[in-house]
Each structure stands twice: as structure tokens, then as C-alpha cells.
Amino acid sequence: MPDTTPELWTTEMCAEHLGIKPKSASGLLSRRGIKRVGEDRHPTSGRIVALFLADEVRALADDRQPGRRTDQA
């Protein structure tokens, strides 16, 4: 039976995939309506980090066009 567990990424992993800084990734994910699906503890610092569905982040990366004006049609 195949594994149906969704792949989850931290904000840092999302930022790396998107090619931006983690703080920028956090804002971008929020603006685009990507909701966090959980949280976990960072393995080194122990702080709580948000988790996002990797498929949603990949879809965002495919649609993303840096510099595109979204306030004008």
C-alpha cells in the first residue's frame, strides 16, 4: 500500500524552494492564502516552526512571477 502521508515543509524549506529568505517566504505564503497545516519543534533550537503542504508550495512556485503587479489587471 502506498504511503499517503502528505509531505510537509517548514518555512525554511519553503523559502529554499522559492529562492527567497524565510521571512519573505512567510509573508508570501500568507498573502497567497497558503495555510499552515501543523507545527513541529525545530531539531536544533527547539522553537516551534510552522508546517506547510509541499504540494501547495510547489504550485505557488510554478505560478509565481517575481515583479508581477497584482494590483492592476
Side-chain angles (χ1 to χ4, degrees):
M1 179 178 255
D3 183 13
T4 58
T5 305
E7 184 179 5
L8 301 176
W9 285 357
T10 64
T11 306
E12 290 175 351
M13 295 166 72
C14 295
E16 184 176 329
H17 184 76
L18 295 167
I20 57 179
K21 295 179 181 180
K23 286 284 188 185
S24 298
S26 179
L28 177 63
L29 294 168
S30 177
R31 281 191 306 279
R32 293 293 186 92
I34 307 291
K35 303 285 185 200
R36 64 192 232 174
V37 294
E39 51 189 39
D40 198 7
R41 295 243 175 225
H42 189 275
T44 307
S45 68
R47 64 184 170 88
I48 294 178
V49 293
L51 297 174
F52 301 90
L53 290 173
D55 289 341
E56 290 184 0
V57 178
R58 287 186 192 106
L60 170 64
D62 290 342
D63 180 57
R64 188 168 174 259
Q65 297 174 1
R68 177 180 66 175
R69 296 274 312 250
T70 58
D71 61 336
Q72 297 178 345

